[in-house]
């Protein structure tokens, strides 16, 4: 009975927060639902507010996927080519670096960590344009490999900083036990510490996937051609073109195509991401 009373008191106490959260949730579902329905409709029904009264059709999606200038299939493939490899490479670069910085004292350790933190405050445009100038002078701008490497480079500082703090909070007793058994530093990291950092690794991977999928500035500079462009650049161009031609149904279809993968990814993996943010390991 006392437990029931405590639960009731907590519900009453937090009812304003629950009410606000409920309103926000209803608003989000309404907006997402309206956008999805609009993507199956046409401009006339969208502006008249009679989306459900008209015949819902897949024509907007068919035109986007079959059009030579709106080729969504190639765009999604490009985005996958840029996003997945760069996110994987980032983990295999940042995790060992973060582990070394968090566990080993050596000359320049603190300076290296400070440089990583300082680099987070550098605006991307300050380094992007000089890089573009030098790469264009060498004739290697339109290269998928270059875009992948640039995606990796721009996120290394944050990933190393995040994982360094995570490894620092993990107990050293596991490493000490493994060292007594004769395990090398390499084996200790890959067989023990890296698996223990799985929540943080999953969280970073999700952040990287979503961030790279929606990237705009770097692809705009280095991949601004129909054969190379990813979703971020493609969506901006589609919205501009379809607003100019009055094809608002096609515009909403393009928005759904661009946003659906990241929304689905977040919906299925949000719990793991929250766990990775909250969990900090056990200090020894």
């Amino acid at each position: 009975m006392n437990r029931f009373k405590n639960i009731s008191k907590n519900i009453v106490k937090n009812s304003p927060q629950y009410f606000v959260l409920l309103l926000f949730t209803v608003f989000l579902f309404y907006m997402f639902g309206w956008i999805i329905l609009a993507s199956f409709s046409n401009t006339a029904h969208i502006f008249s507010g009679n989306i459900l009264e008209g015949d819902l059709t897949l024509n907007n999606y068919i035109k986007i996927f079959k059009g030579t200038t709106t080729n969504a299939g190639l765009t999604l493939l490009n985005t996958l080519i840029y996003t997945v490899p760069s996110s994987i490479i980032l983990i295999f670069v940042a995790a060992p670096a973060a582990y070394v910085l968090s566990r080993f004292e050596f000359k320049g350790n603190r300076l290296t960590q400070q440089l990583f933190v300082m680099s987070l405050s550098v605006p991307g445009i300050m380094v992007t344009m000089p890089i573009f100038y030098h790469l264009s002078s060498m004739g290697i701008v339109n290269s998928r490999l270059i875009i992948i490497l640039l995606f990796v480079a721009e996120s290394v500082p944050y990933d190393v900083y995040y994982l360094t703090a995570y490894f620092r909070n993990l107990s050293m007793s596991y490493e000490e036990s493994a060292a007594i058994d004769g395990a090398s530093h390499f084996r200790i990291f890959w067989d023990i510490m890296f698996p223990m950092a799985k929540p943080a690794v999953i969280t970073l991977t999700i952040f990287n996937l979503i961030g790279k999928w929606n990237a705009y500035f770097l692809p705009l500079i280095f991949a601004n051609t129909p054969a190379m462009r990813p979703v971020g650049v493609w969506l901006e161009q589609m919205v501009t073109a379809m607003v100019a031609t009055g094809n608002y149904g096609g515009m909403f279809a393009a928005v759904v195509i661009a946003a659906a993968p990241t929304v689905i990814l977040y919906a299925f993996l949000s719990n793991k991401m929250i766990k990775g943010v909250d969990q900090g390991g056990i200090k020894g």
Side-chain angles (χ1 to χ4, degrees):
M1 182 64 69
N2 290 332
R3 183 179 178 183
F4 178 77
K5 289 182 178 179
N6 291 333
I7 295 175
S8 301
K9 288 180 180 179
N10 288 332
I11 293 175
V12 173
K13 180 180 179 181
N14 296 319
S15 57
Q17 292 92 320
Y18 294 148
F19 180 72
V20 172
L21 182 61
L22 177 62
L23 287 179
F24 183 69
T25 303
V26 171
F27 173 77
L28 285 181
F29 273 99
Y30 171 78
M31 293 303 298
F32 281 126
W34 190 91
I35 291 172
I36 292 172
L37 288 175
S39 70
F40 292 101
S41 186
N42 56 50
T43 302
H45 289 111
I46 291 173
F47 275 91
S48 64
N50 299 319
I51 294 177
L52 294 177
E53 295 181 8
D55 294 329
L56 300 181
T57 175
L58 291 171
N59 287 339
N60 294 326
Y61 289 93
I62 294 173
K63 290 179 182 178
I64 289 177
F65 276 97
K66 287 190 174 181
T68 55
T69 60
T70 61
N71 194 334
L74 178 60
T75 299
L76 295 175
L77 178 62
N78 284 336
T79 312
L80 285 173
I81 292 174
Y82 303 145
T83 300
V84 176
S86 61
S87 299
I88 294 173
I89 294 172
L90 267 167
I91 294 301
F92 284 96
V93 170
Y99 177 70
V100 170
L101 290 173
S102 65
R103 284 297 196 255
F104 299 96
E105 291 295 334
F106 57 89
K107 188 175 181 180
N109 183 312
R110 185 174 297 276
L111 176 61
T112 303
Q113 294 188 52
Q114 291 174 347
L115 289 174
F116 275 122
V117 175
M118 289 174 58
S119 64
L120 294 174
S121 63
V122 178
I125 193 172
M126 289 183 61
V127 294
T128 300
M129 299 315 296
I131 291 174
F132 177 77
Y133 171 79
H134 290 293
L135 292 179
S136 60
S137 65
M138 293 186 287
I140 54 175
V141 173
N142 292 320
S143 168
R144 288 183 172 85
L145 178 60
I146 292 297
I147 297 172
I148 292 172
L149 294 178
L150 289 173
F151 274 174
V152 172
E154 73 168 352
S155 297
V156 162
Y158 176 79
D159 285 21
V160 171
Y161 172 76
Y162 182 90
L163 288 174
T164 299
Y166 195 91
F167 279 123
R168 191 177 289 120
N169 285 329
L170 294 178
S171 174
M172 296 186 66
S173 60
Y174 304 102
E175 297 158 278
E176 293 168 352
S177 299
I180 292 174
D181 291 337
S184 63
H185 291 303
F186 180 84
R187 185 176 179 185
I188 290 173
F189 171 70
W190 287 113
D191 291 349
I192 300 175
M193 303 309 296
F194 186 72
M196 289 182 63
K198 183 180 177 181
V201 170
I202 292 175
T203 300
L204 269 184
T205 302
I206 296 171
F207 280 144
N208 289 330
L209 288 171
I210 294 176
K212 306 310 175 192
W213 185 273
N214 296 315
Y216 176 76
F217 183 68
L218 273 178
L220 179 66
I221 303 299
F222 293 94
N224 193 14
T225 62
M228 297 278 295
R229 63 188 180 187
V231 161
V233 178
W234 173 84
L235 179 60
E236 188 274 336
Q237 293 174 350
M238 288 301 100
V239 170
T240 301
M242 290 179 178
V243 169
T245 58
N247 184 8
Y248 285 88
M251 181 190 72
F252 285 116
V255 170
V256 172
I257 292 171
T262 53
V263 172
I264 294 172
L265 178 68
Y266 184 82
F268 281 98
L269 299 178
S270 58
N271 289 336
K272 292 184 180 295
M273 186 173 69
I274 294 171
K275 181 181 177 181
V277 172
D278 292 339
Q279 185 174 337
I282 303 172
K283 280 208 169 187

